[in-house]
Amino acid sequence: MAQKLVSTWRQMWSLEAETTDPLAPFGFVTLAPSGGEGGRSMGAMRWAQTANYGVAPNPAMPRTFMAQAFDLDDPFSNITCYRKGCCGAAKKGCESCLGPNGYCANLTATNFYMGPIHPRDKKTVGDRLAMAAVSVAYGKGTVFTGPTLSGCHVANGKIVVEFNRSLLGSDHVLVSDYKALASSRLEVLTNKSLFCLQTSGREDTECIDDGTGRPAGHGAFEDEKTWVSVDVQQASPTSLSVDLSKTQGVAFGIRYAWTGDCCDKRPATGAACPIASCPLMGQQSQLPANPFIARIENGRCQCVAPQKCDE
């Protein structure tokens, strides 16, 4: 759909000769989690926004550029305070929502539009779009995207995850401290039969796309024992090392930032979630690593087509 949208708009803009280039640069923003809007299939939605390549530009969407927003959810998108109605009369259990820098004070200063499904911080999105546009639209040669999966292999109880060197350029992969987030956002699949690209509905028990466009029936596709959060550390300027001790060395798939937001593994309170706080990013660019998902077969990553990750 995204590919069709871009091509249709370009066609319309260039109908009159000598006006708009039929391949005019086209920028877009991936969707933020926004209080769970869209459920756990937000990862598949963002994937579709890139024509299933996980990055832009790509062969299906030439001269496009994007700003990732999976890590730019509203700092107060945790809707605990919102649902409790904590900003009127004092209520029990609302203590974390109050204070000069708390949810209620923040809401008073700049209210939500249509509830907490639209992140209010726009500057970082604009900065990322501008950085990508400088490179893609104006050819200035700057880094335009964060670390992008190019492959992985399993060895000695660990997964070494490789990132595309060409896209990184002179940048390096950075793993920031994620202790305060209570999760690295990287997960490993422990049941081969439960790999699913997109589930249906809020219960996440029906797989409507197993990565090949076919349904895979019902099952515990999003159970915490199915996809286990694991620890990571930097292995080289272009790679990470994933510790498999929590899965006893089992790994049938791997994914990053596929569900939720940067802070949703923390206790549900009114505390703010810092924007751009997911741990994997470019060291120099500070652009977030592009979310990814891949099977692991014969000890190596197998990305969902058309993306390739066979390094």
Side-chain angles (χ1 to χ4, degrees):
M1 291 295 291
Q3 179 183 357
K4 183 67 174 177
L5 181 147
V6 172
S7 63
T8 300
W9 283 12
R10 281 174 167 167
Q11 183 181 27
M12 294 174 65
W13 293 336
S14 60
L15 280 175
E16 187 174 339
E18 299 182 1
T19 54
T20 303
D21 187 332
L23 283 177
F26 191 107
F28 62 93
V29 181
T30 63
L31 297 176
S34 302
E37 193 75 8
R40 290 181 180 264
S41 287
M42 286 295 288
M45 176 66 79
R46 295 187 198 104
W47 192 255
Q49 285 185 271
T50 67
N52 298 353
Y53 280 89
V55 67
N58 57 60
M61 298 168 63
R63 298 198 74 194
T64 59
F65 56 94
M66 70 176 182
Q68 287 285 6
F70 71 89
D71 63 333
L72 300 181
D73 206 4
D74 196 279
F76 291 95
S77 64
N78 183 323
I79 56 179
T80 301
C81 301
Y82 181 78
R83 284 177 171 167
K84 287 184 177 181
C86 286
C87 299
K91 295 182 180 180
K92 185 178 180 180
C94 288
E95 293 78 11
S96 65
C97 307
L98 309 176
N101 297 312
Y103 172 89
C104 295
N106 186 274
L107 194 66
T108 301
T110 305
N111 206 343
F112 288 110
Y113 174 67
M114 295 176 64
I117 65 170
H118 296 282
R120 290 169 291 170
D121 180 78
K122 310 299 184 185
K123 184 178 185 302
T124 309
V125 173
D127 289 343
R128 290 178 179 178
L129 270 178
M131 185 182 296
V134 166
S135 179
V136 175
Y138 296 99
K140 298 299 183 180
T142 58
V143 173
F144 61 86
T145 190
T148 303
L149 179 69
S150 63
C152 77
H153 65 271
V154 181
N156 303 317
K158 298 183 183 297
I159 306 174
V160 176
V161 180
E162 301 283 352
F163 293 92
N164 188 298
R165 292 176 175 83
S166 297
L167 294 177
L168 276 172
S170 62
D171 207 354
H172 295 164
V173 178
L174 173 68
V175 182
S176 62
D177 187 354
Y178 55 85
K179 290 181 181 178
L181 304 178
S183 171
S184 69
R185 310 309 306 171
L186 198 147
E187 300 170 304
V188 168
L189 180 67
T190 61
N191 187 325
K192 185 176 182 178
S193 66
L194 292 177
F195 183 93
C196 184
L197 185 69
Q198 182 179 3
T199 55
S200 176
R202 298 283 181 173
E203 298 301 321
D204 301 314
T205 57
E206 181 184 4
C207 180
I208 59 175
D209 187 347
D210 66 355
T212 66
R214 294 189 292 265
H218 290 77
F221 295 103
E222 292 295 338
D223 188 88
E224 290 187 354
K225 294 181 180 179
T226 300
W227 286 99
V228 177
S229 180
V230 291
D231 290 316
V232 301
Q233 63 181 14
Q234 192 163 347
S236 78
T238 61
S239 66
L240 307 175
S241 176
V242 179
D243 184 0
L244 293 179
S245 59
K246 291 182 179 179
T247 66
Q248 291 74 52
V250 174
F252 294 107
I254 187 169
R255 68 184 187 183
Y256 175 69
W258 199 253
T259 65
D261 59 48
C262 298
C263 299
D264 66 2
K265 298 300 181 183
R266 303 187 317 183
T269 69
C273 176
I275 62 172
S277 57
C278 287
L280 306 187
M281 65 188 72
Q283 185 174 30
Q284 299 170 23
S285 69
Q286 294 294 291
L287 291 173
N290 291 312
F292 61 80
I293 188 170
R295 293 181 176 87
I296 295 179
E297 297 181 357
N298 299 317
R300 304 192 71 86
C301 271
Q302 297 291 326
C303 277
V304 176
Q307 186 185 25
K308 294 182 179 180
C309 56
D310 50 9
E311 286 189 5

